[in-house]
Amino acid sequence: MNLLEANLSLLRLRFPEIAERIQSAEPDRNIRFVAAKSGDRIVLEQFGEREYPLHSTVDPARESERLLKTARESGFIVVYGLGAAWHLKGLLQQKNKELLLIIDGSGRLKSLFSAHDYKNLLEYPRLNLLLDPKPEELAGSILSTYLPGLHGGFVFIPLAALASRRKERYTRLQSAADTALVHVKNDFSVQAHFGRLWTRNCMANLAALTEFPVAGYSRFFAEAAGKNALLVGAGPSLRDSRTLIAERAADSLLIATDTALPFLQQLNLNPDLVVSIDSQYYTMLHAIEPGSFNLPWAVSPSAPPALLRRLKNPLIFAGGTPLELAIARDAGLPLMDTSGGNVLQAALSLAASAGIHKLTIFGADYAQPGGIPYAPATYVDHWFRSRSRRTEPFLSQCLSFTFEGRRETPLNEYDPQYSCRRLSRYREDMAEYLKNYPGEVDIHGVSAILLMQGDRTSGPCSRISKPRIPEGAPKPREVARNLGETIQKGGAEAVRLLYPLIAWIRNKQASTGIGETDFFKEARSMFLELSAMFHIYSGE
């Protein structure tokens, strides 16, 4: 067996499609191997009329030390370029780092495989390989495989000689990686903050529920199909839409975010559905008006247990956390898209899945016009007004809330909408989502023009799921026991289910300075303790 066949046989075990592409490619004649002064074989590649070495011509093995020094404690390493893999030698000996290797050119790789033994690389257990990826493919791979809670830090390292010859290509890949990293960090920060709360709430709710409310789903989807609907967020522009909402609510299905509920009740309007995605206990403050708990609420399994226990008509939709998705698979729950992190977008996903073809959205501000963060009558608005006094008036408190966490950030220019990075991100995600809404949409609010920019597509949004009405679903406690058994066994599925809890533990360790921890074992132990506390699964 020659070198090419030996390398391809190892590659086929994990990357058969790439192996086939290399097998059918023509070798790149611009690649050849020569000996460095140390005697080690290095790659020369021709660019234009000149050949350039891809490694040191003196001692290529020292490149491995530089890569490890750059990577430091990072557990997820993206490397652009292969050459003779001298820069990867030390990394391959560690066995504890994720390696995402980017290689350009099937013919180039065939020439490399024909002249050099890559056994150590191809047998590396944490290797992922991308051949000729588009920038968006690289971003997708990072989004799907990089888990900061498990891997720790992230670093992108090029084979320097190659990157300098392909500057435009490397720059585009680097930019795609940076964009993906922003999304990963945002997602990790949320999981690190809420991971334990999500887990605890899920287990407490599964322990308290006797069954999943099958009849409620059927009734809601039957009433909603083909109807016109109003979707009401809690933006401060609602104060200018009172009359219009009251007029249109008479012959439309009324869907409210939980924050907007008190505003609508002030107008003597009771929503047909209240949507809530927050797992924190202050969500209860949205239900301060009498009769709030008698309304139908769409909540997730990680909703505050105190809220779920009081609701007379809860409709439980699975959000995007791993535990919730596992519950949905086991119990057949319908899905609610919480990927945008804001409740108005989650409510929009329910409207789409219910078949609502004409939708009017109010309070879609994603800004704080005049420094006012929420609509009148919402609990934040009520709180500030109740505490207002001459030395700290209502508007002063609103502005303090608006600039919380960024008071030292300089303002380059005056913006009467008082937006911020978080709200802008919500608005951008909502705008992308609206492009794929399968129906007619009319938007009222400060950000209406920005939300409707861009072309609408005729196809359904991939993140909007059709309703799955559970029939003969297992009891909630049975679902919880199944989760406990899966996590007790360990393995990849257990890691996936526990990842938000792992992220929370890692974040806690970083903030308290606790020493090295086996994050999975600690997360599993914490989960089983919660299961035992709620008398669901003891792990025995």
Side-chain angles (χ1 to χ4, degrees):
M1 182 182 293
N2 59 34
L3 281 174
L4 176 62
E5 292 172 347
N7 286 321
L8 286 178
S9 65
L10 290 174
L11 187 66
R12 283 193 188 94
L13 297 176
R14 295 166 61 191
F15 308 102
E17 293 182 1
I18 294 178
E20 291 306 312
R21 289 170 61 185
I22 296 171
Q23 182 75 63
S24 59
E26 289 295 323
D28 190 330
R29 303 303 178 185
N30 294 319
I31 297 286
R32 70 186 183 97
F33 280 78
V34 297
K37 290 184 178 180
S38 62
D40 297 316
R41 285 162 54 81
I42 63 171
V43 177
L44 293 182
E45 182 168 0
Q46 186 166 338
F47 295 92
E49 297 181 354
R50 290 187 56 188
E51 281 187 325
Y52 295 89
L54 299 187
H55 300 283
S56 168
T57 57
V58 179
D59 187 5
R62 294 191 63 182
E63 293 180 13
S64 175
E65 299 174 12
R66 288 196 290 272
L67 184 143
L68 288 177
K69 186 177 180 180
T70 302
R72 296 181 183 177
E73 300 302 318
S74 298
F76 193 97
I77 303 172
V78 178
V79 176
Y80 175 56
L82 176 60
W86 287 112
H87 54 312
L88 302 175
K89 182 179 178 182
L91 172 64
L92 298 178
Q93 294 172 353
Q94 294 203 353
K95 307 294 184 185
N96 64 343
K97 297 183 183 294
E98 296 292 326
L99 171 60
L100 176 57
L101 179 60
I102 304 167
I103 302 174
D104 286 335
S106 301
R108 183 181 293 109
L109 191 51
K110 188 168 189 176
S111 295
L112 295 174
F113 273 17
S114 299
H116 192 69
D117 183 3
Y118 291 94
K119 179 180 179 181
N120 289 340
L121 171 68
L122 298 174
E123 289 184 342
Y124 185 69
R126 295 174 178 251
L127 172 68
N128 194 9
L129 184 62
L130 295 178
L131 180 61
D132 295 323
K134 296 178 181 177
E136 56 268 25
E137 290 178 297
L138 171 60
S141 181
I142 292 171
L143 287 170
S144 62
T145 57
Y146 175 41
L147 301 173
L150 291 173
H151 302 140
F154 174 100
V155 65
F156 191 129
I157 302 174
L159 183 57
L162 192 63
S164 65
R165 302 298 164 194
R166 301 199 188 99
K167 290 181 181 179
E168 183 178 353
R169 166 68 168 162
Y170 170 65
T171 300
R172 292 178 64 203
L173 292 173
Q174 176 74 69
S175 178
D178 290 342
T179 301
L181 197 58
V182 170
H183 289 284
V184 171
K185 287 182 176 179
N186 289 337
D187 187 51
F188 174 73
S189 66
V190 174
Q191 299 195 64
H193 186 77
F194 292 110
R196 186 177 185 277
L197 184 62
W198 288 341
T199 304
R200 186 187 186 284
N201 286 1
C202 272
M203 302 312 292
N205 287 329
L206 289 176
L209 288 169
T210 55
E211 61 183 1
F212 295 107
V214 177
Y217 301 116
S218 302
R219 184 168 56 253
F220 169 71
F221 287 117
E223 292 176 355
K227 266 196 171 185
N228 297 341
L230 306 184
L231 175 55
V232 183
S237 66
L238 284 183
R239 63 179 176 265
D240 301 320
S241 304
R242 289 184 175 95
T243 303
L244 191 57
I245 292 173
E247 290 174 353
R248 296 193 181 184
D251 57 358
S252 300
L253 190 76
L254 183 57
I255 303 174
T257 63
D258 52 1
T259 321
L261 175 59
F263 171 84
L264 293 173
Q265 290 172 319
Q266 189 184 55
L267 302 179
N268 295 318
L269 296 175
N270 286 322
D272 296 290
L273 185 69
V274 181
V275 181
S276 177
I277 66 171
D278 205 325
S279 56
Q280 299 174 93
Y281 279 86
Y282 66 70
T283 299
M284 298 287 292
L285 297 173
H286 302 314
I288 54 179
E289 294 295 327
S292 297
F293 297 121
N294 296 328
L295 299 170
W297 284 59
V299 296
S300 73
S302 59
L307 172 65
L308 196 53
R309 284 197 302 268
R310 287 168 172 78
L311 294 178
K312 299 297 188 293
N313 299 295
L315 302 181
I316 302 175
F317 292 81
T321 71
L323 276 179
E324 290 180 3
L325 293 174
I327 293 169
R329 286 196 305 270
D330 206 353
L333 296 182
L335 304 180
M336 173 167 58
D337 187 354
T338 59
S339 61
N342 76 90
V343 65
L344 189 61
Q345 184 174 318
L348 179 66
S349 78
L350 293 185
S353 64
I356 294 170
H357 297 300
K358 188 172 183 180
L359 184 67
T360 304
I361 302 176
F362 291 93
D365 293 344
Y366 298 109
Q368 298 162 111
I372 307 297
Y374 286 102
T378 56
Y379 90 83
V380 174
D381 181 88
H382 177 76
W383 171 253
F384 288 158
R385 291 186 187 279
S386 68
R387 297 174 67 247
S388 178
R389 54 187 183 274
R390 188 166 56 182
T391 57
E392 193 176 5
F394 170 72
L395 187 56
S396 173
Q397 295 181 65
C398 288
L399 287 171
S400 293
F401 180 86
T402 296
F403 285 100
E404 182 65 36
R406 56 192 181 111
R407 294 179 183 176
E408 304 302 322
T409 304
L411 292 176
N412 296 323
E413 59 182 13
Y414 172 66
D415 179 7
Q417 306 304 337
Y418 290 95
S419 189
C420 64
R421 186 180 304 171
R422 174 175 54 85
L423 292 177
S424 296
R425 187 175 73 247
Y426 287 164
R427 186 195 67 233
E428 291 163 4
D429 288 346
M430 184 70 159
E432 286 299 314
Y433 207 84
L434 281 165
K435 289 178 182 178
N436 298 293
Y437 186 82
E440 182 181 340
V441 181
D442 181 26
I443 301 178
H444 297 258
V446 170
S447 296
I449 295 176
L450 294 174
L451 288 171
M452 293 307 293
Q453 285 180 346
D455 297 328
R456 298 283 303 281
T457 60
S458 57
C461 177
S462 61
R463 294 179 295 178
I464 295 176
S465 64
K466 294 299 180 184
R468 298 169 56 219
I469 309 301
E471 297 178 0
K475 300 295 183 183
R477 278 185 168 270
E478 182 182 344
V479 173
R481 281 194 294 271
N482 292 341
L483 290 173
E485 290 172 359
T486 300
I487 287 171
Q488 175 71 17
K489 291 176 184 176
E493 177 65 8
V495 172
R496 191 185 66 80
L497 292 174
L498 289 175
Y499 181 68
L501 195 54
I502 291 170
W504 181 85
I505 292 170
R506 177 180 276 275
N507 187 58
K508 181 182 177 183
Q509 181 203 56
S511 63
T512 58
I514 299 173
E516 284 298 317
T517 302
D518 187 323
F519 296 110
F520 171 73
K521 287 184 177 179
E522 187 167 337
R524 179 168 62 179
S525 175
M526 187 176 294
F527 179 90
L528 295 175
E529 286 176 7
L530 288 171
S531 298
M533 182 174 71
F534 295 116
H535 307 289
I536 297 173
Y537 180 77
S538 63
E540 298 176 355

